């Protein structure tokens, strides 16, 4: 089971943003807050932002937005371990635009990667394969940029560490000691 | 105006400019000398191809006994030109750093080339100067000679002076003509009382951006010397009997200076521990947090360094929040053992719950750790060993997530003298008087490790060398199975293999292990 925690920053228009995760509904408070999501054992995390109405966007007489229901995720933890920012930025946001908005912006994207803010209802989704932490380990390592490997090819095992089994040496030592 | 030339020698990492060069340069300038810094490590890397560099690195680190003819020729040519260049600046004195035991071989080669062309005064310093000279090619012996590399280099006339202990004040005194100041040529060193009085390091000429950084350019910084603990296995209290730290303002000034002058965001503390004085440590982090929040130029400042696990009573969660806000990026933490009993004997009085808290806070605030561990401590029982296996299972998520960036298991215990350990009780170390004779052809660079293996604790007799190595292998294998990144595991296992292979070849060739066991189980 994995337990995700979000640090959110939200503002409210008429109503608070509400999200649904695995049939559980959570309300996102105004300002900066921590939201504990229900523990789950899936290879995906999907947040369904479902509550916003057009009336949540409040405009003044000159048409400027003075208040709105919108929110963003600033940090994510899994099992109380802070995830690197690439995980947050790997989210895929599929907004369900208001019909009025689509009339003005017919080319609005159906999918937004690395979404900064959620202004429309829709789903925010992450996917991985197998055990979350094993997937995260490989994904994290594959994204890590290690400079000047040509100048110092050993710096991966020196500085980053590796999981090399060193079977030749282990076997050699075992043979010598008859272990 | 008098002129000083400072040489940095291999084998040190190419990550960042050598701190010693920047410190010595600032000290020399503070008393009116000029100073040029020559980084032979970097110069050599530029001058040779990758294969030659690798071969030289293996040679400096004593993984190979000889250089190929082509590499030897190239080294002689590059070193010769390098020395000619230094000598052409007509220095009044030349300093050579022996950074660690891994620098001994290179320092030896550089000093020989230097002495052949320079008849002036040469001074050496650095913690490698304390190393046994038995790693040198000219020392065809497995002797447990207690003299140091510095003594030896002085005795054979390669150097005029060696400085041990805190070097800055002694170095300045030497430049001023005082050759009898504490720390010079074997005089007992004197610890610097007020680190705030030292000049800020001068990286002019060895700018961080010209180095081969793994992640980003950075510089070293020292906020304290010594340690607040006196762990049974550690020699820091001998080097710095008292824990001394700079004030927070003084440290912050150096960080601001480093950022403004050399445009670096990463500060690598060389301290034995960052959190020795919690009051000052909090102040440093508070100032860093303020700096990062108030000035966009400083928002990306981050730091790394060695750290100690503290008890819950020593700290609160807000300390961790503050460190994260101050830029804490990586802590190298000597957890040493997941057995409380073993840690207590070592002189570390924190509990496993305290370790839990340390990693829990690191995880929540996104601070990485490298865990340094110690296998085969003299009091370690099988039950204690099982605790280390539990450590690997218990914290696996932290390893996979990068909270524990890597673990280092080490070589297993090596002891040259046991008095300090025995003070804590439950230990009576018996060293094999003939252990050195059991190695006939031990590669030079691993003699100091190998010769430290010839011991057993009379009160824990089943922990012989064979059992220590068995535990080392088991922890390596479990680490691999659970996906733990390990740092330097191949290097360490290679050295262990070389030592055991040498023992086996020379003592029990063609015989079965029972005889080797008899050989090792000498108590």
């Amino acid at each position: 089971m994995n337990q995700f925690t979000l640090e959110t920053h939200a503002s409210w228009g008429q109503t608070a943003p509400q999200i649904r995760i695995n049939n559980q509904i959570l309300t996102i408070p105004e300002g900066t807050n921590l939201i504990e999501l229900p523990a789950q054992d899936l290879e995906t995390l999907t947040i369904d932002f479902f509550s916003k109405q057009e009336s949540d966007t409040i405009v003044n007489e000159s048409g400027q937005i003075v208040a709105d229901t919108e929110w963003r995720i600033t940090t994510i933890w899994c099992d109380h371990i802070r995830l690197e920012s690439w995980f947050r930025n790997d989210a895929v946001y599929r907004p369900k635009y208001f019909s009025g908005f689509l009339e003005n912006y017919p080319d609005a994207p159906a999918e937004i990667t690395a979404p900064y803010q959620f202004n429309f209802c829709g789903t925010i989704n992450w996917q991985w394969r197998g055990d979350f932490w094993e997937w995260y380990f490989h994904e994290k390592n594959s994204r890590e940029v290690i400079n000047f490997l040509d100048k110092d090819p050993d710096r991966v095992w020196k500085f980053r560490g590796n999981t090399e089994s060193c079977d030749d040496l282990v076997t050699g030592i075992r043979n010598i000691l008859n272990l | 105006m008098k002129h000083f030339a400072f040489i940095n020698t291999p084998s040190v990492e190419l990550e960042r400019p050598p701190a010693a060069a920047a410190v010595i340069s600032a000290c020399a300038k503070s008393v009116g000398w000029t100073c040029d810094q020559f980084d032979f490590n970097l110069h050599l890397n530029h001058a040779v191809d990758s294969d030659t560099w690798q071969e030289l690195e293996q040679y400096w680190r004593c993984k190979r006994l000889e250089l190929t003819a082509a590499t030897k020729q190239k080294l002689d040519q590059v070193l010769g030109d390098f020395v000619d260049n230094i000598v052409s600046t007509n220095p009044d004195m030349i300093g050579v750093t022996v950074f660690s035991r891994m620098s001994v071989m290179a320092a030896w080669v550089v000093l020989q080339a230097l002495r052949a062309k320079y008849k002036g005064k040469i001074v050496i310093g650095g913690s490698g100067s304390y190393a046994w000279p038995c790693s040198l090619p000219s020392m065809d012996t497995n002797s447990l000679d207690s003299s140091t590399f510095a003594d030896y280099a002085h005795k054979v006339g390669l150097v005029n002076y060696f400085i041990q202990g805190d070097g800055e004040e002694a170095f300045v005194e030497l430049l001023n003509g005082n050759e009898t100041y504490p720390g010079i040529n074997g005089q007992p060193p004197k610890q610097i009382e007020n680190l705030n009085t030292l000049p800020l390091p001068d990286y002019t000429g060895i700018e961080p951006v010209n180095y081969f950084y793994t992640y980003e350019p950075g510089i070293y910084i020292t906020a304290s010397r010594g340690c607040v603990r006196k762990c049974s296995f550690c020699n820091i209290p001998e080097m710095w009997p008292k824990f001394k730290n700079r004030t927070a303002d003084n440290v912050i000034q150096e960080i601001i200076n480093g950022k403004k002058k050399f445009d670096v965001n990463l500060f690598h503390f060389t301290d034995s521990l960052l959190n020795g004085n919690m009051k000052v440590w909090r102040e440093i982090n508070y100032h860093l947090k303020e700096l990062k929040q108030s000035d966009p130029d400083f928002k990306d400042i981050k730091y790394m360094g060695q750290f100690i696990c503290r008890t819950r009573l020593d700290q609160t969660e807000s300390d961790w929040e503050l460190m994260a806000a101050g830029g804490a990026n990586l802590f190298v933490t000597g957890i040493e053992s997941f057995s409380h009993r073993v840690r207590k004997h070592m002189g570390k009085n924190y509990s496993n719950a305290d370790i839990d808290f340390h990693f829990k806070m690191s995880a929540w605030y996104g601070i990485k750790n490298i865990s340094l561990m110690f296998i085969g401590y003299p009091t370690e029982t099988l039950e204690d060993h099982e605790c280390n296996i539990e450590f690997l299972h218990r914290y696996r998520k932290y390893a996979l997530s990068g909270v524990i960036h890597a673990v280092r298991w080490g070589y297993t215990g090596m002891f040259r003298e046991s008095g300090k350990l025995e003070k804590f009780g439950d230990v009576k170390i018996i060293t094999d008087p003939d252990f050195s004779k059991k190695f006939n052809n031990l590669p030079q660079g691993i003699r100091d490790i190998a010769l430290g293996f010839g011991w057993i604790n009379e009160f824990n007799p089943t922990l012989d060398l064979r059992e220590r190595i068995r535990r080392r292998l088991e922890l390596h294998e479990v680490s691999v199975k659970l996906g733990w990144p390990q740092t330097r595991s191949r290097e360490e296992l290679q050295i262990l293999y070389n030592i055991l292979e040498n023992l086996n070849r020379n003592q029990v060739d063609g015989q079965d292990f029972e005889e080797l066991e008899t050989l090792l189980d000498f108590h």
Side-chain angles (χ1 to χ4, degrees):
Chain A
M1 299 287 273
N2 296 115
Q3 162 85 64
F4 287 90
T5 307
L6 310 178
E7 184 184 69
T8 57
H9 188 81
S11 65
W12 293 7
Q14 295 280 6
T15 63
Q18 289 190 302
I19 55 176
R20 186 185 295 115
I21 300 118
N22 302 340
N23 296 321
Q24 189 170 326
I25 292 173
L26 299 167
T27 299
I28 300 178
E30 271 190 304
T32 301
N33 290 280
L34 292 179
I35 309 281
E36 292 250 324
L37 305 187
Q40 59 166 51
D41 195 10
L42 303 168
E43 294 182 6
T44 182
L45 171 64
T46 302
I47 296 171
D48 180 14
F49 174 30
F50 66 90
S51 66
K52 187 174 177 181
Q53 307 292 317
E54 280 189 271
S55 57
D56 279 314
T57 304
I58 301 166
V59 295
N60 62 17
E61 289 171 353
S62 54
Q64 289 173 316
I65 297 173
V66 293
D68 201 359
T69 295
E70 58 192 14
W71 64 287
R72 60 192 165 94
I73 298 169
T74 50
T75 309
I76 304 177
W77 290 262
C78 179
D79 302 334
H80 299 103
I81 297 169
R82 186 184 175 117
L83 303 180
E84 293 180 357
S85 55
W86 58 261
F87 181 82
R88 181 194 61 175
N89 297 334
D90 271 7
V92 177
Y93 174 36
R94 296 182 180 85
K96 293 173 189 161
Y97 299 108
F98 299 125
S99 54
F101 182 86
L102 273 178
E103 281 169 17
N104 289 327
Y105 301 96
D107 297 328
E111 278 190 1
I112 299 171
T113 51
Y116 176 70
Q117 189 159 275
F118 310 112
N119 295 76
F120 298 95
C121 291
T123 58
I124 304 120
N125 176 256
W126 292 263
Q127 289 188 320
W128 58 90
R129 303 189 103 185
D131 175 78
F132 177 80
W133 286 115
E134 287 179 9
W135 169 84
Y136 183 85
F137 177 75
H138 292 294
E139 197 64 27
K140 178 168 68 70
N141 289 350
S142 72
R143 292 166 190 246
E144 201 165 298
V145 177
I146 296 180
N147 297 304
F148 298 118
L149 274 170
D150 56 329
K151 287 290 180 185
D152 181 12
D154 291 340
R155 58 180 33 180
V156 173
W157 59 259
K158 280 194 295 196
F159 301 137
R160 180 60 199 86
N162 63 14
T163 54
E164 186 190 358
S165 62
C166 304
D167 285 336
D168 53 334
L169 294 169
V170 171
T171 304
I173 293 170
R174 284 194 180 285
N175 287 342
I176 291 171
L177 294 179
N178 196 21
L179 287 169
Chain B
M1 189 177 278
K2 287 193 170 180
H3 180 56
F4 188 80
F6 184 87
I7 302 172
N8 182 51
T9 56
S11 166
V12 290
E13 304 302 347
L14 295 159
E15 280 287 301
R16 298 181 237 295
V23 168
I24 289 298
S25 174
C27 287
K29 289 173 183 174
S30 74
V31 287
W33 286 51
T34 57
C35 181
D36 283 331
Q37 303 171 61
F38 299 90
D39 189 345
F40 183 59
N41 192 44
L42 187 66
H43 178 82
L44 188 61
N45 186 275
H46 281 301
V48 301
D49 61 36
S50 180
D51 289 344
T52 307
W53 174 257
Q54 287 297 306
E55 186 184 332
L56 285 164
E57 278 289 286
Q58 289 181 352
Y59 183 65
W60 306 136
R61 290 172 178 260
C62 304
K63 291 179 193 170
R64 61 182 300 146
L65 295 178
E66 288 180 1
L67 294 172
T68 59
T71 298
K72 174 82 172 64
Q73 189 182 10
K74 183 71 178 171
L75 174 64
D76 287 345
Q77 177 238 314
V78 173
L79 181 56
D81 292 346
F82 182 80
V83 168
D84 286 343
N85 182 36
I86 294 171
V87 173
S88 72
T89 65
N90 293 317
D92 295 282
M93 192 185 290
I94 296 178
V96 177
T97 182
V98 194
F99 178 71
S100 72
R101 59 175 288 276
M102 295 299 187
S103 309
V104 167
M105 178 71 88
W108 178 254
V109 170
V110 169
L111 284 168
Q112 285 183 312
L114 193 59
R115 185 46 97 201
K117 294 181 177 179
Y118 179 72
K119 303 306 171 200
K121 306 287 189 190
I122 298 176
V123 56
I124 59 170
S127 67
S129 69
Y130 286 97
W132 277 345
C134 62
S135 294
L136 299 172
S138 61
M139 300 283 280
D140 187 19
T141 173
N142 293 328
S143 163
L144 282 164
D145 183 341
S146 61
S147 70
T148 64
F149 171 73
D151 290 322
Y152 185 65
H154 187 243
K155 193 169 83 180
V156 300
L158 281 182
V159 305
N160 304 87
Y161 311 107
F162 58 94
I163 295 177
Q164 292 175 310
D166 277 351
E168 294 92 336
E169 288 180 353
F171 173 66
V172 164
E173 288 293 323
L174 185 63
L175 294 187
N176 285 333
N178 181 0
E179 298 179 3
T180 58
Y181 193 80
I184 299 173
N185 288 357
Q187 301 279 342
K190 180 180 159 195
Q191 191 172 357
I192 294 172
E193 283 297 320
N194 184 357
L195 296 174
N196 277 4
T197 60
L198 300 178
L200 295 184
D202 175 17
Y203 287 96
T204 309
I206 48 169
E207 283 77 8
V209 75
N210 295 327
Y211 283 76
F212 303 127
Y213 43 85
T214 301
Y215 297 112
E216 61 179 291
I219 55 178
Y220 295 104
I221 180 169
T222 303
S224 68
R225 286 188 184 150
C227 186
V228 294
R229 289 186 179 147
K230 296 195 187 320
C231 296
S232 59
F233 58 86
C234 180
N235 68 346
I236 293 295
E238 277 88 70
M239 292 170 73
W240 291 292
K242 292 183 228 162
F243 177 76
K244 297 280 180 186
N245 55 267
R246 297 163 62 190
T247 59
D249 286 345
N250 194 251
V251 174
I252 295 296
Q253 192 51 49
E254 185 170 331
I255 290 173
I256 292 172
N257 189 58
K259 171 66 186 174
K260 284 187 173 169
K261 270 193 169 172
F262 306 109
D263 196 24
V264 292
N265 290 317
L266 177 60
F267 292 83
H268 185 159
F269 284 89
T270 66
D271 308 39
S272 301
L273 74 171
L274 290 168
N275 53 340
N277 181 329
M278 286 301 284
K279 179 175 178 291
V280 172
W281 182 231
R282 285 175 183 127
E283 286 171 7
I284 288 172
N285 280 288
Y286 178 78
H287 287 309
L288 281 173
K289 178 186 164 187
E290 295 278 296
L291 192 62
K292 284 159 70 76
Q293 289 177 349
S294 63
D295 187 337
D297 285 349
F298 290 91
K299 74 177 169 55
D300 294 325
I301 294 288
K302 60 173 80 81
Y303 65 78
M304 58 186 286
Q306 295 189 83
F307 200 78
I308 56 170
C309 180
R310 283 189 170 275
T311 68
R312 281 292 280 111
L313 291 174
D314 292 337
Q315 58 186 327
T316 63
E317 178 165 353
S318 61
D319 284 320
W320 288 85
E321 188 178 4
L322 186 60
M323 288 188 285
N329 178 253
L330 174 71
F331 291 149
V332 180
T333 310
I335 299 293
E336 308 302 350
S337 172
F338 202 56
S339 159
H340 180 63
R341 203 184 65 84
V342 167
R343 285 197 311 275
K344 193 164 173 55
H345 194 277
M346 289 174 169
K348 296 174 180 292
N349 287 318
Y350 49 87
S351 67
N352 283 8
D354 297 326
I355 297 174
D356 271 344
F357 182 74
H358 175 97
F359 287 130
K360 186 180 167 190
M361 289 295 100
S362 297
W364 183 259
Y365 289 104
I367 300 170
K368 292 177 285 190
N369 285 261
I370 291 177
S371 291
L372 305 179
M373 306 298 280
F374 189 145
I375 301 172
Y377 187 75
T379 63
E380 185 188 274
T381 62
L382 260 181
E383 195 182 337
D384 298 322
H385 172 63
E386 287 298 318
C387 292
N388 285 334
I389 292 175
E390 183 197 340
F391 172 88
L392 290 173
H393 287 276
R394 185 184 185 98
Y395 297 131
R396 182 169 182 251
K397 269 186 192 174
Y398 291 153
L400 296 179
S401 61
V403 174
I404 303 180
H405 188 68
V407 62
R408 183 172 186 181
W409 291 110
Y411 298 106
T412 80
M414 301 172 283
F415 298 105
R416 277 199 272 173
E417 52 154 300
S418 56
K420 219 165 71 165
L421 283 161
E422 291 178 355
K423 276 194 290 190
F424 293 78
D426 299 329
V427 174
K428 185 172 181 190
I429 294 286
I430 301 173
T431 50
D432 180 359
D434 297 323
F435 198 62
S436 61
K437 294 177 188 154
K438 291 166 184 166
F439 300 99
N440 285 344
N441 192 25
L442 196 59
Q444 293 140 9
I446 59 175
R447 284 177 193 157
D448 57 347
I449 298 173
L451 299 180
F453 280 163
W455 62 271
I456 204 156
N457 176 12
E458 191 178 292
F459 298 130
N460 188 20
T462 54
L463 185 68
D464 57 13
L465 178 58
R466 180 179 188 259
E467 175 60 11
R468 299 196 293 266
I469 302 290
R470 187 197 71 74
R471 293 180 190 179
R472 173 68 180 81
L473 291 186
E474 185 174 12
L475 285 161
H476 169 80
E477 288 173 320
V478 176
S479 300
V480 170
K481 280 180 185 157
L482 295 178
W484 276 70
Q486 299 181 73
T487 173
R488 298 184 183 274
S489 57
R490 172 163 284 279
E491 184 174 60
E492 289 172 353
L493 291 174
Q494 183 73 60
I495 286 172
L496 291 177
Y497 174 79
N498 289 349
I499 291 169
L500 292 172
E501 209 245 350
N502 189 275
L503 265 177
N504 191 42
R505 191 174 58 236
N506 294 316
Q507 298 297 320
V508 289
D509 189 23
Q511 300 174 33
D512 64 18
F513 173 69
E514 278 65 39
E515 290 184 50
L516 179 63
E517 188 171 42
T518 308
L519 172 79
L520 298 174
D521 191 14
F522 46 80
H523 69 287

